[in-house]
Amino acid sequence: MARKLLLLKIPSFAWNMLLPVATDFFLSVLNCPPESYDLIVWNIELKNGTNCHISYMSKNDTTERNCTENMNWLSRPDQRPDLRIQSPQLFSEGTYKCSVVTINGTFSYETFLSILVPPKVSLTHSINKTAVCKAAASKPAATISWDPPGHSANVEETFLNDMYTVTSRYHYTSTSEDEVSCSIFHPAWNESRVLKISFGNTN
């Protein structure tokens, strides 16, 4: 059986809106090789414990399904057996298995779908030259680093659905510069986000 891992990136606005199912902001397609087959079955085992299936039998051109409406064939299953997931969210995470029955036997292709949610980021400071960089409500947890190097402490909080908030407190001790920056890395982004703050004349 062929297996692969698929990571989907949910834009920040999508997570913040808690998108209704009907919103077609994002479409994911899971591929199943277009072989000549008698029967094809998509078995979906979601991370939340829900199971469903979608099947097509070519002999009598019949389809059976008990999945939600946001999961369906990309087009006609006799032409392209790929699965379409409309507006994937955290509850879409799970294992998607495509089984193809042909004259040469049964072949299975398995994909694990994992959702990436980028964090909301912020950088603040207090009068005692302590900067606070926060990466909130992300999946997985973000990584925070500082420039220039100094003493910092990170606290990671875990919430429902494997969501994380990372708070990093940095004590600035340099007397030659009054600006610091924090870099936040998250796999949902192609590049790290850099936030800068000036302590000015604070003491």
Side-chain angles (χ1 to χ4, degrees):
M1 183 191 328
R3 290 185 175 89
K4 64 179 179 179
L5 173 65
L6 179 63
L7 300 177
L8 293 185
K9 303 176 182 181
I10 293 185
S12 297
F13 72 89
W15 171 249
N16 296 341
M17 291 171 59
L18 295 176
L19 287 174
V21 173
T23 304
D24 190 15
F25 81 101
F26 191 75
L27 187 68
S28 176
V29 177
L30 303 186
N31 303 118
C32 197
E35 303 181 36
S36 177
Y37 57 83
D38 299 316
L39 173 67
I40 183 168
V41 181
W42 277 98
N43 285 298
I44 297 107
E45 297 181 7
L46 299 180
K47 194 174 178 180
N48 62 13
T50 304
N51 299 331
C52 72
H53 72 273
I54 299 175
S55 65
Y56 173 76
M57 183 174 291
S58 61
K59 181 178 180 180
N60 51 11
D61 191 29
T62 57
T63 298
E64 291 185 3
R65 54 170 293 124
N66 65 353
C67 294
T68 57
E69 290 301 319
N70 72 316
M71 298 181 193
N72 211 335
W73 303 106
L74 179 63
S75 60
R76 289 179 49 181
D78 59 329
Q79 296 179 353
R80 187 175 176 183
D82 296 339
L83 182 69
R84 180 198 72 194
I85 306 174
Q86 183 175 306
S87 301
Q89 294 292 303
L90 288 176
F91 57 76
S92 304
E93 286 193 323
T95 301
Y96 293 73
K97 181 179 178 182
C98 172
S99 297
V100 181
V101 179
T102 72
I103 59 174
N104 297 315
T106 300
F107 304 91
S108 295
Y109 307 88
E110 192 172 280
T111 300
F112 182 79
L113 181 65
S114 182
I115 304 295
L116 302 179
V117 182
K120 299 177 183 178
V121 298
S122 63
L123 176 59
T124 58
H125 74 83
S126 60
I127 60 174
N128 63 350
K129 285 194 173 182
T130 298
V132 179
C133 187
K134 180 176 287 189
S138 71
K139 181 179 180 295
T143 301
I144 297 177
S145 60
W146 293 91
D147 184 44
H151 176 70
S152 63
N154 291 1
V155 176
E156 182 178 298
E157 300 173 86
T158 306
F159 302 96
L160 296 176
N161 296 325
D162 297 326
M163 301 291 286
Y164 297 87
T165 291
V166 179
T167 303
S168 182
R169 297 183 181 276
Y170 172 93
H171 183 60
Y172 180 61
T173 58
S174 172
T175 58
S176 60
E177 299 180 42
D178 62 0
E179 184 180 83
V180 297
S181 61
C182 73
S183 297
I184 304 103
F185 171 76
H186 192 272
W189 297 329
N190 293 326
E191 297 180 350
S192 296
R193 304 293 170 90
V194 179
L195 303 180
K196 296 183 179 182
I197 196 167
S198 175
F199 289 102
N201 295 320
T202 59
N203 297 314

